[in-house]
Each structure stands twice: as C-alpha cells, then as structure tokens.
Amino acid sequence: MLQYVWLVPVLPVISFLIIAALARKVGEKIVYAGLAALALATVISIGALVQVAAGATYPGLQFDWVITSQYKIPMGIQLDHLAAVTLPVVAIVSLMVHIYSLGYMHGDKRFTRYYGVLSLFTAGMLGLVVADNFFLLLVCWEIMGLCSYLLIGHWYENQVPQEASLKAFLTTRVGDIGLMVGIWVLFAATGSFNFNEIAAAAAAGKVAPAVLLLGTLLVFSGGVGKSAQFPLHTWLPDAMAGPTPASSLIHAATMVAAGVYLVARSFGIFAAAPPEALMWVAVIGGFTALFAASIATLRTDIKQVLAYSTVSQLGYMMLALGTGYAAAGAFHLVTHAFFKALLFQCSGSVIHAVHSQEMHEMGGLRKKLPITFWTWMAGTAALAGLPGFSGFYSKDEVLLGAFNYSHRLAEQGLPPWVGTMVFSFGVITAFLTAYYMTRATILTFFGQPRDHHKYDHAHESPLTMTIPLIVLAAFSVGAGWPAAWFIRFVSVPGAIQPHHTAIVPIVAISAALLGILTGYLIYGLKIFDRSTAIKASGSLYGIIKNKYYVDELYHAT
C-alpha cells in the first residue's frame, strides 16, 4: 500500500471535482462518489500503517516546486510514524461522517454542495498530514479554512450561521498570518521549507536562538488559531451553527486537530529552540484546558458543551507537547478524534430526534434512543478518563508529562513552579470534564421528560446514523489499549519519554470519579439546591455563564 499513499489526499480531491461537475446532471446519488473515494483512501491508509508498523519505510515523494538562481524549493509527501498513525484516524472518522450525513442531511436543499465541500475539507486535512514541508502544509491549511467557512455557513440564509462562519474565518486568520510570517522567518534563516531540514539546521546551531524563538512562537500562533486556544478560542463554540456532522468533523479529527498536529510535526524545531518556546505552548495549553472546561460546566446547549470540551481537550494536547512529551499529545489527538466525533454524532442523533439542542428540553431519552444512549455512554466514559476506555490511557500520559515538567524546567533554568501550575490545571480539568459530562448525560438521558411533546415524538435514528455511532464507540473503547506500543512507535525527534509513576493514574482516576460523583449528587440525587449555590457564588456565576466576557471585549475593541 505504501506506493499508493499519495492517492489518500488525491482521491477526495477527485471526488470533489466529480461532485462539483456532475451534481446537477446526476442528482443526489453523485455523493456516493465521495463515499467511495474516502473508503478507498481509508483502506490505503490502514494498509500503509500496517506496513510501517511492520518496519517498512516510505521513501517519500518529491518534485521541485520553484527553481530560481538562489533557491530550489522541493515539495513532497512523507509517511513517518507520526503521519502513519494520524492518516487512518482522519480517514476513518471522515468516512463515518460521510456515512452519517446520508441520514442526517437527507432532504437538505444543498445536499450535494455539502458533500462536495466535505470531500475537499477531508482532502485538505489528509494532505496536511503527509506534507513534508511548511509550504504544502500552508496550502492544505488554508483549504480547510475555506471549507470550514462554507460548512459552518451551510445554512447561510440564516443570520446565525452567517455570522458564525465569518467569525471562524476571521479569527483563525489572525493565527494564520502569524503562521505564515513564522514560516518566512524560518525559511529566511535556513533556506528551506522542509520540516526535517529546518530541524537539522536548528539542532546544528545554524539559526540564531532569538530568530528560532520568534519563528517557533509565530508558527505556534497558527496552532492557537486553528486549535482554538486562548485567546483565539471564541470562534469554535459559535461554529455549532453548522450541520452537526460537519461539527463532528471540524471538532474531532480534522480542522481543530490541525493546530496540534502542526506543533507535533515541527516538534524537532521547537525542541531545538530556546526552552521558552515549549514553555509557552504548555502554559497556554494548560490554561486553555481549564478555562474552557469551566465554561462547559454552565452551557445548556448540548453541542456547546461538547464544543467547549473540545477546546479544553485541545489544550490538553498542547500541554503535553509543551512539556516535551510529544507522543502523549499525539496519542490524545488520536483517542480524542474517535470519542469526540462519537459524542458529536450522538448529539446529532438526539437533535434529530427532539429537534432541539437545549438539554433543559430533554430528559429520559435513554428509553427512546437506546443505541444513541449506550454509544454516548462509551464516549462519555472515554472523555471522562475512566479506566478501560481510550481517553483514560491518553489522558494519563498527558498528566504524566505535566507531572514531570517541573524537574525538566529546573534543568533548563526556568521556574519549576510553572510545571506545578500546569499539572494542577490538568488535574482540575480532569475533574471538571467528568463533572460536566455527567451533568449533560443526566439532563439529556435520565430523569423525567421536561418537554413531553418532544419526548413523545422522539425516535431512534436510521441505520445510516447509528452504524457510524457503533463503529466510533468501538474505537472509543479500544483505541487506547495499545498505549505502550503507541508511545514507543511515535518517536518524534527531540521529544522525551518520562518515567511512569503510580501517583499520576491514581490522581487522574480520583479526579474523574470525584467529578462524576459531584455531578450525580447535584443533578441526579439533587441534594444541593442549585439556586442557592448560584446566589452564594456571587458574581463568579455570571462571569463563567457569560464566558468571561471575552467576546464582549473583542466586540468593544
């Protein structure tokens, strides 16, 4: 399969062109070209991973993009261990979204347009994963930016999707300009766009430390925008205005993961830069994880809970990368792709059944939607980090990196308390994650129906929607089991692999169980009066409820 790896990003481009050219003549059946192309791309990517895992080496594919008297700029694709594990994850989740959309988007007046954009969007992410240089990565990066604008604004006749799509496009542009300037800085210093060549030049001391620090921080700003890190996080929750399957794709395996993948892909450059570069990645990631998790505790829209959860989990990934434990960040990217895609699709199944996103209009739906309920429980257990589920293994590795970070900072001559701080952020986030998912589960699936009309008309989704749920639930359970193999396999240059300690899993499990217990006591047994607690919290409740007024600050300035 290795010789056909170049087809993986090309096939969705072909299906996009076929859908665009023939949609009016053929009609809705043309979307099956997209499914067929992605199914073949998935088979190739899985086969390639098997071969690479067995020891095969992909020779790479290169051609000269620009030749001048001063420079020869090659373009190409690579399939190292990081790309080999990421490629099938993106392909599988994207294929499940394509299948799920057959049921969810059935009857939509722009059905074929939606599938065309979905194909191009997927091609952008697959191309980004195998790119061996910053220039090709930037091209694929911007393809995703355009497609996310089109998907979020799919129902553009309504004002909310209009504004949300524009907000996403403009907010991520801020980070993208930083990324582009960072690429030019690194190119000016090394004469190359290739990740490995820049990393080698940096490690050999051929780039001034100040230039390297500037270049890496500018590149990271692109990740801050795309992966919705503070302070450029505000676009992602508003992106819920788009179709739920598109939300599943944007917020799970593709667009938001691209920023994390960017840092992981260029980790050799970050590792060679002054240690302040990775420290800022860790601090911003850890702060974002806690910041977004606190907001998720008070959201009442089921998709917005998951959106802020996504921001929080992306912060976790950045935290792992910043501590130098790149394999942990990549591992959490993989497990999160499966369980968050599952949760978004479960929320779509619920919305499809009750025609509402407000959890306070739901209740008791586990009896009406049994498949959706049990797959949601699998995704929730994975996100909360319960033992045996995928999220437990990857979150454990993230917290392990944070736990060891103080010692690493001291060795680098940086303040060790920063490591203690980010580890605390990670533990509190684990507690809040388990709490807000328990809250969402009880409000949606347990108790008595709060809107009997919606409850009476609720029914389980069709097979085109429930089959992807079952497939993703299986991955949400088992994707973390080969943790030891994954950590060894994804050997990113310059990364560390800290020694394991029993303290970290004990703390992680305790935080998760305490969060579940707290949610159950408040929303299940209702032993606390919420109105009294709100009054006691004073202005803090209003601040968190209004998302710390970050949007208001941006609008005012």
Side-chain angles (χ1 to χ4, degrees):
M1 289 293 184
L2 285 179
Q3 65 268 36
Y4 301 114
V5 165
W6 63 273
L7 277 173
V8 175
V10 170
L11 284 167
V13 173
I14 294 172
S15 68
F16 160 72
L17 295 173
I18 291 172
I19 293 170
L22 301 178
R24 291 187 179 181
K25 291 183 179 180
V26 179
E28 292 189 354
K29 290 185 178 178
I30 194 65
V31 304
Y32 287 97
L35 269 76
L38 200 50
L40 181 56
T42 302
V43 171
I44 294 172
S45 62
I46 293 173
L49 171 60
V50 171
Q51 286 187 260
V52 172
T57 302
Y58 181 64
L61 178 67
Q62 280 201 338
F63 61 93
D64 291 332
W65 179 256
V66 175
I67 301 176
T68 71
S69 57
Q70 284 184 296
Y71 298 109
K72 182 176 74 172
I73 302 175
M75 296 276 277
I77 65 172
Q78 63 177 348
L79 194 74
D80 60 0
H81 289 188
L82 176 63
V85 295
T86 308
L87 203 62
V89 173
V90 175
I92 291 168
V93 173
S94 300
L95 179 60
M96 293 302 105
V97 171
H98 275 68
I99 296 171
Y100 181 91
S101 298
L102 290 173
Y104 192 91
M105 299 298 290
H106 178 69
D108 188 272
K109 60 184 176 182
R110 285 186 286 272
F111 186 72
T112 53
R113 178 184 185 273
Y114 167 83
Y115 266 94
V117 176
L118 207 61
S119 290
L120 185 60
F121 187 96
T122 305
M125 184 62 191
L126 292 170
L128 181 145
V129 170
V130 295
D132 73 349
N133 63 90
F134 274 116
F135 194 88
L136 180 58
L137 178 140
L138 185 62
V139 172
C140 296
W141 186 274
E142 294 303 333
I143 287 173
M144 285 193 295
L146 169 64
C147 291
S148 68
Y149 168 79
L150 296 172
L151 288 170
I152 295 166
H154 178 75
W155 294 309
Y156 52 75
E157 60 272 21
N158 301 323
Q159 185 178 0
V160 173
Q162 275 183 28
E163 294 177 350
S165 60
L166 192 61
K167 182 177 182 179
F169 193 79
L170 294 177
T171 306
T172 54
R173 246 15 69 203
V174 175
D176 292 358
I177 289 171
L179 168 62
M180 189 168 68
V181 175
I183 291 172
W184 303 147
V185 167
L186 294 174
F187 177 75
T190 63
S192 175
F193 287 121
N194 185 274
F195 299 116
N196 296 332
E197 290 176 3
I198 296 174
K206 296 180 180 178
V207 184
V211 173
L212 204 51
L213 180 62
L214 175 64
T216 50
L217 289 177
L218 284 168
V219 167
F220 175 57
S221 71
V224 169
K226 212 69 152 185
S227 289
Q229 300 295 283
F230 180 86
L232 300 180
H233 65 283
T234 57
W235 68 269
L236 194 146
D238 287 29
M240 296 298 100
T244 298
S247 300
S248 174
L249 195 59
I250 292 170
H251 302 116
T254 51
M255 181 167 165
V256 291
V260 175
Y261 188 83
L262 167 68
V263 178
R265 167 54 63 217
S266 49
F267 191 86
I269 305 170
F270 278 83
E276 288 86 355
L278 282 176
M279 184 184 77
W280 278 110
V281 175
V283 169
I284 291 176
F287 178 77
T288 302
L290 178 58
F291 176 84
S294 67
I295 297 175
T297 60
L298 294 181
R299 296 295 94 196
T300 58
D301 181 315
I302 189 170
K303 284 178 68 177
Q304 285 224 346
V305 173
L306 297 178
Y308 278 104
S309 170
T310 300
V311 176
S312 179
Q313 296 303 305
L314 290 164
Y316 250 12
M317 298 173 209
M318 289 295 191
L319 167 60
L321 291 167
T323 62
Y325 197 8
F331 189 27
H332 199 53
L333 186 154
V334 168
T335 60
H336 177 265
F338 290 121
F339 63 69
K340 189 53 65 66
L342 169 63
L343 289 169
F344 267 111
Q345 292 187 15
C346 286
S347 74
S349 183
V350 170
I351 295 165
H352 186 265
V354 300
H355 303 287
S356 173
Q357 296 181 195
E358 280 295 315
M359 295 187 295
H360 289 305
E361 296 178 3
M362 301 174 190
L365 289 175
R366 73 185 187 282
K367 299 173 185 176
K368 289 275 190 168
L369 311 172
I371 297 174
T372 301
F373 167 68
W374 285 111
T375 51
W376 169 278
M377 292 300 288
T380 297
L383 175 55
L386 294 185
F389 293 84
S390 61
F392 165 74
Y393 300 98
S394 57
K395 191 174 290 188
D396 190 42
E397 297 296 334
V398 172
L399 291 175
L400 178 67
F403 181 77
N404 288 275
Y405 192 42
S406 294
H407 179 67
R408 183 171 163 82
L409 285 170
E411 290 178 342
Q412 295 169 335
L414 296 173
W417 60 264
V418 173
T420 306
M421 178 181 70
V422 296
F423 178 68
S424 302
F425 286 168
V427 173
I428 298 170
T429 300
F431 164 77
L432 292 176
T433 302
Y435 166 74
Y436 66 65
M437 287 309 298
T438 303
R439 169 181 177 266
T441 301
I442 292 172
L443 288 176
T444 305
F445 292 103
F446 289 90
Q448 296 301 313
R450 286 176 287 279
D451 188 319
H452 286 279
H453 176 74
K454 287 182 168 60
Y455 178 81
D456 291 339
H457 288 82
H459 56 83
E460 186 60 274
S461 299
L463 283 176
T464 50
M465 293 171 66
T466 54
I467 289 175
L469 296 184
I470 295 169
V471 172
L472 289 171
F475 280 107
S476 298
V477 175
W481 293 348
W485 171 84
F486 188 100
I487 297 300
R488 289 195 309 271
F489 184 70
V490 182
S491 52
V492 179
I496 61 161
Q497 291 199 3
H499 295 293
H500 283 71
T501 171
I503 297 173
V504 172
I506 291 172
V507 171
I509 294 170
S510 300
L513 293 178
L514 185 59
I516 292 170
L517 177 63
T518 305
Y520 179 66
L521 291 175
I522 295 174
Y523 289 92
L525 298 181
K526 299 180 181 178
I527 65 170
F528 299 116
D529 180 34
R530 279 179 285 160
S531 59
T532 304
I534 290 169
K535 289 178 183 177
S537 66
S539 59
L540 180 62
Y541 174 82
I543 292 171
I544 298 176
K545 184 73 173 176
N546 289 284
K547 301 169 285 187
Y548 297 92
Y549 296 100
V550 176
D551 272 310
E552 286 77 4
L553 175 64
Y554 288 166
H555 291 156
T557 54

